[in-house]
């Protein structure tokens, strides 16, 4: 907590404790800075105010910093106090309702600052602001019927301010309403005589109006106030409240419609705003509950509501017309000359509200529905509270604080009604700990959110009951969806309809605040509404709805796999309810975009299938996701393939088990033990047992990749050759293309570049012929690698550019980033630092955007934590290149060291010579020749293992430069 006070003696509070600022120049400087928080105050101005020299000012500022550490900042031409305006009472005063603002006034402003200039320039204006605010508070109190207790206060104030006419007018009115007409007339005579004698003026309009009330014996309060009491434990909603308070009518009615889900706090904020605005609408503050969502109460008709409103204004019942139109006309006529505010709470529709709108004044409408057809309405849709505001609300009710409370408010979904109920129950059960409450909420959340007549489930039930049958069905069946969000295609599949029809129903649920929409086209439940929707599901409809959800994800995932990996072998699908209107995935880019969006939902679907006993779905979903999850989701792939393998045990299906074993062995590929071999050899035996030649061939390919990455080149060659032979015998051209690719890479690692090119080009031709763009991108990247080692520099660049285009076509940001990383290194080696810089920057941005993280170190750590060591290698390498080109050598060394560790983690040791060579260059540039030589020697050894003369030559050249004698100083 931090606050600063100038409205009285100087007050400074930091971290909840009062700080003493010694008298003298320090106080003058602080006061001047507080008047302009966060702004630079020129030195010359401070010198004049403090009446001192520049040196003395510097001394005063230095001493001020001792008591206000890190707050007083030096800026060109002056000083700045690093505080917010809302932390300074002078500025906060303007944004509070009168009673709260007056509480800030502690006496004469600048009372102990010691600056005649500050008092001269600011105290008169502040005093006038204080008196105007005080008069507004008194006016509100008069409107509420508080005339008797106001008389003593007004007597005192008129003595202190003997010619302030509004205070005298308020005194006359207060006396008159106390039936003290003689005293009221005497007070009027007193001020009239004083004004004439001292100022030569007649009484103003307010005084004349007050005098007229006495003469006509009208001592009724001029205002009607029906507002419910404001609550003390209001928390958060600052921006929403400010927006409501800004709704000021200008000659016509101003309407603010406040909508939101049940329990969100619509009435609370409307009443809080109405109390804040009462002084600006002194003639009436009216409140009507329209009961559109009140249990056991029929919604109020517009005609009935108008009767209540007109009666509140003092219109005799016998004078109120019977017809709705006539009654609405009388209402508008009564309100035409009043400054009045009306709260229409709990509205169900615009039709219910429209006849109740006056022609002038301010109307606040609350509703669980978006009143989109309420003309000229300014709409505010309330969201749940922030975590911090939820904690403040809980603390104000339950008197409990602490980190454990964060989990409590999270389980409440940060819904104000839920937090209030939990807080009220907790306050009456002091023996409960936060852990007790968390346990109870975790076990039966909606059942715990009940206190007396208040219930979260009950509030939701009222909203649900007012839906149509088709809206109810969609709402409750979506409760069985265990993912985080969904689109209209999934909703259509759940109820067996078209996307357009599902979208219509979803938009209606959105208007009723029973679903949420954080981004266009994506819908979700609030946590508590998800629980309620699931509780509404009928037992007889559960099984089919769950199957429809699983069938939707399985069908579309299968389609997506065919787009990003065309020619993949097909399996007998478990789909029973074919989605009526699935998303159109016609290109690899669309397929990847859908998988990116739905990845977490697909994971949830796998677990839903396993939990519900739909074991065919539980293994087939991970099977169809395998190609996609190769893009850096290693740990997630292991997790899902483990679920798949467990599911196949329940099925007794040898084909399913073989595929799940192959998938899990592939997922464990980076694990440096026997685990992947164990799973793959078991898969191989099953493939042979069931006669699946293509499956057998694909297992050989995986075994070859593992052997290759472990530098077991002889066994790798044998596995790859056997896999190629079997793929050809199976007549699987896309499988043959991948096998040719593997063999080609094998020849490149053995230094046989001609045979490598031959196999890679053959693989590329088959991939392009069958539309396997993603694999083609990888083949193009590997062909460029071989051309580099053949010193075909133009061909190397050309194939890299084609590879980039292919990755972009398929929407594979990770592959594109890796290709750009390779391109950056190649361009640097070819003497094109500009091109290298361009590629490195683009690659780094792709890695950041793809991971959704802006800090490079955080990106690398996230990749490491995810087990995506291949991307970790690429990103750290490109950051090292970028830092080297930009002259940030220390950063380049740090990223180079990270890259070397990633080489080991990823088992891509063929990349080591590049990084080691760069580390040699960097340490040489930093003047550490010994370390440079050590890295250079390691680079040569790494290059020799590649059996590529050019790599060896490059490494030897770098080492030679490091070993050459240093030039004379």
């Amino acid at each position: 907590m931090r606050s600063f006070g100038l409205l009285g003696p100087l007050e400074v509070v930091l971290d909840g404790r009062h700080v003493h600022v010694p008298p003298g120049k320090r106080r003058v400087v602080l006061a001047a800075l507080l008047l302009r928080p966060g702004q630079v105050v020129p030195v010359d101005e401070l010198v004049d105010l403090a009446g001192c020299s520049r040196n003395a000012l510097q001394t005063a500022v230095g001493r001020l910093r001792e008591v206000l550490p890190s707050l007083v900042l030096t800026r060109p031409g002056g000083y700045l106090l690093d505080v917010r305006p809302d932390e300074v009472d002078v500025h906060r005063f303007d944004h509070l309702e009168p009673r709260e603002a007056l509480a800030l006034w502690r006496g004469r402003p600048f009372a102990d600052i010691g600056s005649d200039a500050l008092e001269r320039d600011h105290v008169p204006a502040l005093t006038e602001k204080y008196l105007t605010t005080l008069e507004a508070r008194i006016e509100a109190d008069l409107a509420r019927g508080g005339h008797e207790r106001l008389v003593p206060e007004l007597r005192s104030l008129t003595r202190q301010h003997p010619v302030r006419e509004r205070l005298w007018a308020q005194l006359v009115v207060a006396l008159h309403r106390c039936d003290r007409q003689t005293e009221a007339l005497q007070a009027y005579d007193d001020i009239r005589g004083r004004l004439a004698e001292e100022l030569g003026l007649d009484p103003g309009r307010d005084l004349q109006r007050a005098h007229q009330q006495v003469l006509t014996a009208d001592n009724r309060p001029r205002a009607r106030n029906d507002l419910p009491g404001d609550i003390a434990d209001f928390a958060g909603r600052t921006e929403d409240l400010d927006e409501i308070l800004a709704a000021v009518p200008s000659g016509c009615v101003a309407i603010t419609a406040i909508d939101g889900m049940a329990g969100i706090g619509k009435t609370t904020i409307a009443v809080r705003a109405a109390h804040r605005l009462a002084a600006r609408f002194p003639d009436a503050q009216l409140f009507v509950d329209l009961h559109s969502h009140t249990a056991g109460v029929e919604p109020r008709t517009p005609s009935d509501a108008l009767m209540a409103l007109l009666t509140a204004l003092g219109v005799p019942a016998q004078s109120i017309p019977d017809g709705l139109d006539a009654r609405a006309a009388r209402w508008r006529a009564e309100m035409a000359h009043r400054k009045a505010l009306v709260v229409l709470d709990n509205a169900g529709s615009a039709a219910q509200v429209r006849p109740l709108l006056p022609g002038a004044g301010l109307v606040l409408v609350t509703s669980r529905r978006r009143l989109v057809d309420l003309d000229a309405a300014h709409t505010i849709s309330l969201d749940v509270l922030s975590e911090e505001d939820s904690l403040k609300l809980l603390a104000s009710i339950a008197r409990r604080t602490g980190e454990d409370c964060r989990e409590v408010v999270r389980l409440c979904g940060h819904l104000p009604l839920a937090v209030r109920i939990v807080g009220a129950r907790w306050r009456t059960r002091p023996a409960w700990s936060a852990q007790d409450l968390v346990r109870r909420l975790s076990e039966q959340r909606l059942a715990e959110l009940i206190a007396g007549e208040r219930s979260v489930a009950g509030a939701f039930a009222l909203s649900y009951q007012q839906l149509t049958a088709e809206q109810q069905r969609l709402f409750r069946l979506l409760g069985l969806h265990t993912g985080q969000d969904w689109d209209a295609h999934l909703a259509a599949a759940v109820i067996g309809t078209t996307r357009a029809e599902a979208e219509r129903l979803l938009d209606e649920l959105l208007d009723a605040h029973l679903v949420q929409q954080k981004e266009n086209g994506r819908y979700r439940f609030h946590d508590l509404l998800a629980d309620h929707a699931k509780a509404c599901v009928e037992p007889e409809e559960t099984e089919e709805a769950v199957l429809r959800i699983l069938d939707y994800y399985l069908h579309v995932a299968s389609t997506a796999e065919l787009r990003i990996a065309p020619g993949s072998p097909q399996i007998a699908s478990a789909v029973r309810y074919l989605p009526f209107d699935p998303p159109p995935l016609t290109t690899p880019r669309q397929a990847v975009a859908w998988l990116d969006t739905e990845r977490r939902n697909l994971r949830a679907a796998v677990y839903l299938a396993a939990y519900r006993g739909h074991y065919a779905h539980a293994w087939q979903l991970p099977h169809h996701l395998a190609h996609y999850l190769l893009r850096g989701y290693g740990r997630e792939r292991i997790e899902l393939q483990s679920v798949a393998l467990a599911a196949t045990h329940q099925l007794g299906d040898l084909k399913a088990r073989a595929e799940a074993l192959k998938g899990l062995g592939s997922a464990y590929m980076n694990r440096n033990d026997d685990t992947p071999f164990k799973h793959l050899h078991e898969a191989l035996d099953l493939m042979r047992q069931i006669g699946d030649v293509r499956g057998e061939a694909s297992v050989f390919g995986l075994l070859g990749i593992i052997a290759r990455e472990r530098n077991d080149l002889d066994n790798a060659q044998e596995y790859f050759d056997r896999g190629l032979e079997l793929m050809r015998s199976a007549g699987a051209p896309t499988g043959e293309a991948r096998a040719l690719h593997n063999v080609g890479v094998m020849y490149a690692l053995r230094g046989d570049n001609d045979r490598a090119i031959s196999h890679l080009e053959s693989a590329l031709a088959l991939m392009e012929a069958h539309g396997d763009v993603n694999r083609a991108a990888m083949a193009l990247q590997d062909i460029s690698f071989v051309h580099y080692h053949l010193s075909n520099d133009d061909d190397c660049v050309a194939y890299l550019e084609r590879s980039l285009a292919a990755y972009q076509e398929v929407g594979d940001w990770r592959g594109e980033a890796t290709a750009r990383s390779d391109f950056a290194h190649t361009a640097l080696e070819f003497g094109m630092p500009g091109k290298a810089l361009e590629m490195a920057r683009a690659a780094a941005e792709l890695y950041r955007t793809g991971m959704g993280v802006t800090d490079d170190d955080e990106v690398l750590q996230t990749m490491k934590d995810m087990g995506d060591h291949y991307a970790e290698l690429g990103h750290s390498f490109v950051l090292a290149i970028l830092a080297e080109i930009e002259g940030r050598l220390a950063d380049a060394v740090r990223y180079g060291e990270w890259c070397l560790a990633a080489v080991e983690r990823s088992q891509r040791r063929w990349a080591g010579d590049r990084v080691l060579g760069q580390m040699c260059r960097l340490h040489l540039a930093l003047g550490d020749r010994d370390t440079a030589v050590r890295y250079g020697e390691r680079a040569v050894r790494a290059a020799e293992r590649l059996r590529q003369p050019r790599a060896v030559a490059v490494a030897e050249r770098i080492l030679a430069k490091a070993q050459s004698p240093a030039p004379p100083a």
Side-chain angles (χ1 to χ4, degrees):
M1 178 180 143
R2 195 167 71 172
S3 66
F4 302 85
L6 294 173
L7 299 177
L10 179 67
E11 183 178 74
V12 177
V13 178
L14 298 179
D15 298 325
R17 63 180 181 83
H18 287 267
V19 175
H20 175 67
V21 178
K25 297 179 179 61
R26 275 174 281 187
R27 290 193 181 182
V28 177
V29 171
L30 177 57
L33 294 173
L34 286 170
L35 287 169
R36 280 184 267 175
Q39 300 179 31
V40 177
V41 180
V43 168
D44 290 343
E45 183 176 333
L46 293 172
V47 166
D48 288 342
L49 288 171
C52 64
S53 65
R54 284 176 170 258
N55 289 338
L57 177 65
Q58 287 180 343
T59 301
V61 169
R63 290 177 177 171
L64 185 59
R65 283 174 172 152
E66 293 174 2
V67 292
L68 302 178
S70 75
L71 291 184
V72 183
L73 308 178
T74 302
R75 292 291 183 265
Y79 296 98
L80 174 148
L81 191 66
D82 187 17
V83 299
R84 301 189 310 273
D86 64 3
E87 295 175 317
V88 185
D89 60 1
V90 170
H91 305 287
R92 195 161 69 251
F93 188 94
D94 296 330
H95 302 287
L96 298 175
E97 63 94 22
R99 195 173 303 277
E100 291 179 346
L102 293 171
L104 298 177
W105 195 273
R106 295 170 292 108
R108 180 177 175 79
F110 306 96
D112 57 353
I113 299 300
S115 170
D116 292 340
L118 286 174
E119 291 201 33
R120 180 192 66 236
D121 294 341
H122 297 282
V123 170
L126 289 172
T127 302
E128 177 60 31
K129 187 182 297 183
Y130 166 76
L131 290 171
T132 302
T133 304
L134 179 62
E135 289 164 349
R137 193 227 80 204
I138 292 171
E139 197 68 38
D141 288 349
L142 281 171
R144 295 186 179 96
H147 37 272
E148 289 188 3
R149 60 182 172 78
L150 284 172
V151 169
E153 180 183 7
L154 286 165
R155 290 281 197 198
S156 174
L157 288 170
T158 51
R159 283 194 296 271
Q160 296 172 44
H161 308 282
V163 292
R164 192 153 185 102
E165 290 190 54
R166 192 176 180 195
L167 290 174
W168 279 97
Q170 290 170 330
L171 175 60
V172 170
V173 169
L175 289 166
H176 174 48
R177 290 182 183 173
C178 292
D179 291 326
R180 296 158 67 175
Q181 278 78 6
T182 301
E183 292 177 70
L185 291 172
Q186 184 60 55
Y188 177 77
D189 286 340
D190 289 346
I191 182 60
R192 183 180 61 176
R194 181 167 287 150
L195 289 171
E197 182 178 342
E198 296 182 13
L199 303 175
L201 297 174
D202 290 328
R205 183 181 302 173
D206 283 349
L207 269 169
Q208 291 177 23
R209 187 184 297 119
H211 183 230
Q212 190 63 32
Q213 285 184 39
V214 180
L215 295 177
T216 57
D218 179 11
N219 64 351
R220 294 174 301 165
R222 293 182 61 223
R224 169 73 176 243
N225 189 328
D226 292 336
L227 297 177
D230 201 358
I231 61 173
D233 51 22
F234 187 88
R237 303 287 191 216
T238 302
E239 293 181 5
D240 294 318
L241 188 58
D242 288 345
E243 193 171 347
I244 296 169
L245 297 178
V248 180
S250 55
C252 60
V253 66
I255 308 164
T256 296
I258 306 165
D259 58 65
M261 65 185 284
I264 204 77
K266 302 177 291 296
T267 302
T268 300
I269 195 172
V271 170
R272 162 71 48 126
H275 279 287
R276 291 282 189 92
L277 292 164
R280 296 161 69 180
F281 298 93
D283 294 336
Q285 301 95 45
L286 306 179
F287 182 94
V288 175
D289 189 342
L290 299 177
H291 293 301
S292 293
H293 299 92
T294 304
V297 180
E298 286 294 316
R300 207 163 195 169
T301 66
S303 182
D304 180 45
L306 284 168
M307 172 66 81
L309 288 166
L310 287 166
T311 303
L313 290 180
V315 180
Q318 60 271 23
S319 300
I320 299 175
D322 290 332
L324 176 61
D325 290 343
R327 196 168 282 186
R330 179 63 185 271
W331 162 244
R332 290 192 295 273
E334 289 291 334
M335 290 287 285
H337 303 294
R338 284 182 166 92
K339 287 186 176 181
L341 177 156
V342 183
V343 178
L344 303 176
D345 189 43
N346 213 354
S349 66
Q352 187 185 27
V353 170
R354 204 171 283 117
L356 311 182
L357 298 178
L362 175 65
V363 180
L364 303 179
V365 186
T366 74
S367 176
R368 293 188 188 182
R369 292 183 171 274
R370 288 188 174 93
L371 304 180
V372 293
D373 53 341
L374 189 62
D375 297 335
H378 174 64
T379 301
I380 296 174
S381 294
L382 297 183
D383 201 349
V384 295
L385 296 174
S386 68
E387 182 181 63
E388 291 307 314
D389 287 337
S390 298
L391 290 169
K392 288 177 184 176
L393 179 58
L394 182 65
S396 67
I397 298 170
R399 306 293 187 264
R400 303 289 188 101
T401 59
E403 283 301 307
D404 289 342
C405 291
R406 295 186 185 277
E407 183 64 9
V408 173
V409 297
R410 186 193 70 79
L411 287 167
C412 291
H414 302 114
L415 184 70
L417 175 61
V419 176
R420 287 185 179 281
I421 290 174
V422 165
R425 295 189 68 199
W426 202 4
R427 186 179 59 211
T428 60
R429 291 161 175 81
W432 284 3
S433 67
Q435 291 88 343
D436 293 329
L437 202 49
V438 167
R439 177 185 56 78
R440 297 175 72 99
L441 288 169
S442 299
E443 291 173 355
Q444 45 180 8
R445 182 154 53 167
L446 289 179
E448 287 294 322
L449 296 176
I450 299 174
E453 295 181 355
R454 292 194 299 178
S455 161
V456 170
F460 291 164
L462 287 169
S463 296
Y464 175 74
Q465 290 161 10
Q466 294 179 351
L467 299 176
T468 65
E470 58 182 357
Q471 291 168 350
Q472 287 182 347
R473 179 168 176 255
L474 178 59
F475 172 79
R476 64 178 182 266
L477 294 185
L478 285 171
L480 296 169
H481 178 263
T482 53
Q484 64 177 6
D485 62 359
W486 65 85
D487 63 7
H489 293 287
L490 180 277
V494 171
I495 58 174
T497 188
T498 64
R499 180 202 57 78
E501 176 64 10
E503 195 166 49
R504 177 185 69 80
L505 292 172
L506 285 169
D507 285 344
E508 289 168 357
L509 292 175
L510 189 64
D511 284 340
H513 285 286
L514 288 170
V515 299
Q516 300 173 335
Q517 191 173 50
K518 300 297 184 183
E519 57 181 291
N520 187 36
R522 304 297 301 182
Y523 303 85
R524 65 174 63 206
F525 279 129
H526 180 273
D527 285 353
L528 296 176
L529 274 171
D531 290 351
H532 184 70
K534 189 174 182 180
C536 290
V537 178
E538 302 293 340
E540 62 272 14
E541 63 187 353
T542 300
E543 188 67 13
E544 179 182 326
V546 169
L547 267 175
R548 285 183 175 277
I549 292 169
L550 296 176
D551 284 351
Y552 169 79
Y553 283 120
L554 182 56
H555 173 76
V556 185
S558 172
T559 303
E561 180 194 31
L562 287 176
R563 296 293 175 265
I564 63 175
S568 296
Q570 296 303 290
I571 57 175
S573 176
V575 171
R576 286 172 53 187
Y577 296 98
L578 197 66
F580 190 82
D581 196 354
L585 307 184
T586 58
T587 67
R589 177 177 283 275
Q590 288 175 334
V592 170
W594 183 84
L595 289 164
D596 283 343
T597 301
E598 300 287 352
R599 180 172 65 84
R600 290 182 176 83
N601 289 333
L602 288 160
R603 177 180 178 274
V606 172
Y607 281 98
L608 176 64
Y611 176 74
R612 291 280 184 175
H614 297 294
Y615 300 117
H617 293 78
W619 84 262
Q620 289 185 11
L621 272 167
H623 174 80
H624 290 306
L625 295 174
H627 287 95
Y628 169 73
L629 293 177
L630 283 170
R631 299 163 180 247
Y633 303 110
R635 292 186 180 174
E636 188 170 330
R637 190 175 174 210
I638 290 171
E639 175 190 343
L640 296 186
Q641 289 291 355
S642 298
V643 175
L645 182 57
T648 63
H649 282 294
Q650 302 295 325
L651 291 171
D653 183 335
L654 294 182
K655 170 64 175 174
R657 181 165 172 76
E659 290 292 345
L661 283 164
K662 184 184 79 172
L664 187 55
S666 174
Y668 275 123
M669 193 173 293
N670 287 334
R671 189 155 165 172
N672 197 20
D673 58 19
D674 291 337
T675 303
F677 283 117
K678 174 179 174 294
H679 292 305
L680 290 174
H681 279 296
E682 189 176 347
L684 190 62
D685 291 342
L686 286 174
M687 294 292 187
R688 287 169 174 163
Q689 184 178 337
I690 63 178
D692 186 347
V693 177
R694 180 168 183 172
E696 185 182 351
S698 64
V699 175
F700 273 120
L702 294 170
L703 288 168
I705 292 172
I706 296 172
R708 183 188 70 199
E709 297 305 324
R710 297 184 182 189
N711 207 32
D712 184 2
L713 301 188
D714 291 337
N715 275 324
Q717 187 77 58
E718 184 178 339
Y719 286 135
F720 286 143
D721 288 342
R722 180 62 178 148
L724 177 57
E725 177 186 341
L726 288 172
M727 280 296 183
R728 282 171 170 163
S729 68
T734 53
E736 180 184 348
R738 294 171 191 176
L740 283 166
H741 188 179
N742 286 331
V743 173
V745 171
M746 197 68 242
Y747 281 124
L749 292 177
R750 288 180 174 276
D752 191 343
N753 291 323
D754 291 335
R755 294 176 77 179
I757 286 287
S758 173
H759 281 76
L760 289 170
E761 290 283 9
S762 297
L764 179 62
L766 280 172
M767 291 167 182
E768 291 180 335
H770 290 84
D772 194 347
V773 182
N774 199 55
R775 290 282 182 173
M778 299 178 196
L780 287 163
Q781 194 174 351
D782 287 332
I783 292 171
S784 75
F785 176 83
V786 178
H787 278 299
Y788 170 83
H789 288 297
L790 285 170
S791 297
N792 299 332
D793 292 358
D794 290 342
D795 288 335
C796 173
V797 171
Y799 276 99
L800 270 175
E801 288 175 341
R802 287 176 61 188
S803 174
L804 283 176
Y807 281 126
Q808 288 169 341
E809 180 183 344
V810 79
D812 184 352
W813 66 264
R814 187 171 171 275
E816 181 188 347
T818 305
R820 288 188 183 277
S821 175
D822 280 352
F823 209 150
H825 168 266
T826 302
L828 200 61
E829 183 63 33
F830 291 172
M832 299 186 294
K835 188 69 173 178
L837 184 62
E838 173 196 337
M839 286 294 161
R841 284 177 174 168
E845 186 58 32
L846 278 169
Y847 283 123
R848 293 184 203 111
T849 305
M851 297 301 292
V853 179
T854 56
D855 180 77
D856 287 318
D857 287 357
E858 190 176 347
V859 172
L860 289 172
Q861 189 60 50
T862 303
M863 290 171 170
K864 181 180 176 183
D865 293 342
M866 288 174 56
D868 188 3
H869 303 310
Y870 188 48
E872 182 190 357
L873 187 161
H875 190 40
S876 55
F877 188 39
V878 87
L879 291 174
I881 291 174
L882 193 58
E884 181 181 9
I885 295 172
E886 293 177 345
R888 295 180 287 110
L889 301 185
D891 284 342
V893 168
R894 181 165 63 88
Y895 288 125
E897 289 170 347
W898 192 307
C899 187
L900 286 173
V903 166
E904 293 302 314
R905 284 192 286 269
S906 66
Q907 300 185 49
R908 265 67 173 187
R909 296 182 180 88
W910 42 263
D913 66 306
R914 299 179 176 188
V915 192
L916 291 164
Q918 184 187 27
M919 292 293 281
C920 176
R921 286 199 310 269
L922 291 169
H923 281 287
L924 186 62
L926 288 167
D928 187 351
R929 187 173 296 274
D930 291 341
T931 302
V933 168
R934 285 197 295 273
Y935 275 114
E937 290 170 344
R938 289 175 62 189
V940 170
R941 290 194 297 272
E944 288 173 344
R945 287 194 292 270
L946 288 175
R947 301 182 177 90
Q948 293 289 356
R950 185 174 192 178
V952 175
V954 169
E956 287 178 341
R957 184 181 72 241
I958 294 172
L959 175 59
K961 188 172 181 180
Q963 290 174 328
S964 63

